[in-house]
Amino acid sequence: MDTKLMTETARAMVAQGKGLLAADESAGTCKKRFDSVKVECTEENRRAYRELLFTAEGAEDYISGVILYDETIRQSSADGTPFPQLLTEAGMIPGIKVDLGAKALPFSAEEKVTEGLDGLRERLAEYVSLGARFTKWRAVITIGDGIPTDYCLHVNAHALARYAALSQEAGLVPIVEPEVLMDADNSIERCLDITTETLHLVFDELHHQRVLLEGMLLKPNMVISGKGAAEQADAARVAELTLRCFHETVPAAVPGIVFLSGGQSDQQASENLNAINAQGPQPWKLSYSYGRALQAPAIKAWAGDPANVELAQQLLVHRARLNSAAAGGRYAIEMEELARAT
Ligand code: 13P
């Protein structure tokens, strides 16, 4: 295990003012995004869209690394440059989603457990040969009547730690992603309780399975009101409870916490990240690993037309610049201008 390399990579991924672009949508999720802009979800369209994202001029000033999907890490730009090489040459670190998705949890119909541990050691070795330097695994926790169960939290925490240990054995920095979904109508206080319990169990398992905390990143949800809740907590409250949760659960040895956006609007995701960072220095870097909240304006502007590539790239870089500012507590709503003007 190359402790020094992993520690350096993890730190580089959360260098000041930088965060991650999650572009690891499976073909199924990609289809949903493409459907929304009426683009056919073919392998070539997925490739062309990812090339647009990865070649946006200036993105590397704000984006330290990009999470790829199995298909994407094997694809190349139109001029034949493999994507991992293209990203590395542009100054962005290539990484790979290695889980095989959240599947039905036996004996608890509404809950999920993430699969993909079988054969993972061999798959990781191949990803290393393809240029990956970090990995991601997402566990999904659903809030509802009588759920999440302890059973669901335990099996997902165990799998996350198994994945993290295998990644580090291969010299890859694991991004450990336990996502408490924001789709229900729960209060922010319930999200705080569930997220706190989830993270306690995750760090317990990481410790038992000997994962090097200095060589990993945590990718959590923010502590936030459920989408359907009548009362929506504001950014100041989100910041207060999110930080309270992390101070209770996340060891200071973890170099960085990179949030998922999870269905927040792009502007809300920037405002909340900013409010969190405006609270002053914390033991860990607090940055972003957004999918939807970075890509939404770009995919809408692109809509499958090559003539729109440049505008879509400008919008992606603009969102990244705003989130970079938010990671330093320097975001202001007036900075949204370009997005509105276009
Ligand atoms: P969102 O920011 O769209 O939630 O995606 C991040 C991600 O990688 C989810 O696994």
Side-chain angles (χ1 to χ4, degrees):
M1 177 162 105
D2 192 338
T3 306
K4 187 163 172 281
L5 176 68
M6 282 187 299
T7 308
E8 282 172 5
T9 303
R11 287 206 197 119
M13 289 163 72
V14 286
Q16 187 55 48
K18 291 195 181 182
L20 300 170
L21 167 64
D24 59 333
E25 297 85 358
S26 64
T29 305
C30 206
K31 181 169 182 334
K32 276 192 231 160
R33 309 275 184 268
F34 278 20
D35 281 352
S36 72
V37 291
K38 300 194 169 53
V39 174
E40 203 190 336
C41 193
T42 61
E43 182 180 343
E44 173 50 25
N45 282 344
R46 291 193 294 271
R47 192 208 61 75
Y49 176 60
R50 262 63 181 256
E51 177 167 359
L52 175 164
L53 297 178
F54 305 160
T55 56
E57 213 181 304
E60 68 279 5
D61 293 342
Y62 315 108
I63 293 174
S64 57
V66 179
I67 316 175
L68 306 171
Y69 181 58
D70 182 75
E71 174 185 87
T72 324
I73 199 171
R74 301 169 196 281
Q75 289 175 321
S76 303
S77 61
D79 72 5
T81 312
F83 282 150
Q85 183 188 330
L86 183 144
L87 289 169
T88 305
E89 284 170 4
M92 296 182 277
I93 305 171
I96 178 81
K97 184 235 297 288
V98 301
D99 68 70
L100 299 180
K103 306 286 164 63
L105 179 66
F107 311 125
S108 186
E110 290 168 280
E111 296 191 290
K112 304 240 189 255
V113 61
T114 301
E115 295 189 350
L117 290 170
D118 289 353
L120 182 55
R121 178 177 274 128
E122 293 72 28
R123 289 170 53 224
L124 291 172
E126 191 197 4
Y127 289 139
V128 169
S129 75
L130 290 170
R133 291 181 46 204
F134 67 89
T135 55
K136 186 195 98 170
W137 177 290
R138 172 175 175 256
V140 178
I141 309 298
T142 309
I143 299 183
D145 242 5
I147 59 171
T149 59
D150 287 349
Y151 160 43
C152 174
L153 296 184
H154 273 107
V155 293
N156 275 295
H158 190 267
L160 275 167
R162 290 265 287 122
Y163 137 79
L166 281 163
S167 293
Q168 291 192 337
E169 182 192 70
L172 296 161
V173 171
I175 300 181
V176 173
E177 180 180 13
E179 175 174 5
V180 178
L181 296 177
M182 58 177 287
D183 301 337
D185 59 2
N186 57 279
S187 66
I188 189 171
E189 287 78 15
R190 183 144 154 80
C191 181
L192 172 66
D193 288 348
I194 307 283
T195 306
T196 303
E197 183 62 14
T198 300
L199 294 181
H200 269 312
L201 291 173
V202 166
F203 280 100
D204 190 44
E205 284 292 348
L206 291 168
H207 171 69
H208 281 301
Q209 298 188 41
R210 307 180 181 184
V211 172
L212 176 78
L213 299 181
E214 290 84 347
M216 63 160 275
L217 297 179
L218 178 69
K219 176 163 175 169
N221 52 286
M222 292 177 189
V223 173
I224 194 168
S225 310
K227 264 197 164 161
E231 198 183 321
Q232 292 289 314
D234 63 12
R237 183 78 173 148
V238 169
E240 180 196 348
L241 294 195
T242 299
L243 288 168
R244 186 189 301 172
C245 174
F246 295 166
H247 280 287
E248 281 184 23
T249 55
V250 185
V254 174
I257 298 174
V258 287
F259 292 103
L260 57 94
S261 59
Q264 298 183 51
S265 74
D266 44 8
Q267 191 171 319
Q268 190 188 10
S270 300
E271 279 173 22
N272 285 337
L273 179 63
N274 187 66
I276 290 166
N277 278 295
Q279 302 300 306
Q282 305 294 342
W284 346 262
K285 285 281 177 52
L286 292 150
S287 193
Y288 54 91
S289 174
Y290 293 159
R292 283 162 287 181
L294 273 173
Q295 294 180 44
I299 194 168
K300 206 167 141 207
W302 172 60
D305 186 345
N308 297 332
V309 164
E310 208 170 311
L311 172 63
Q313 290 180 323
Q314 284 171 9
L315 291 171
L316 170 75
V317 174
H318 184 58
R319 259 326 339 135
R321 187 184 303 117
L322 296 183
N323 284 309
S324 166
R330 293 179 292 99
Y331 164 89
I333 200 104
E334 300 75 50
M335 296 161 79
E336 293 284 345
E337 255 349 277
L338 173 65
R340 268 196 228 108
T342 48

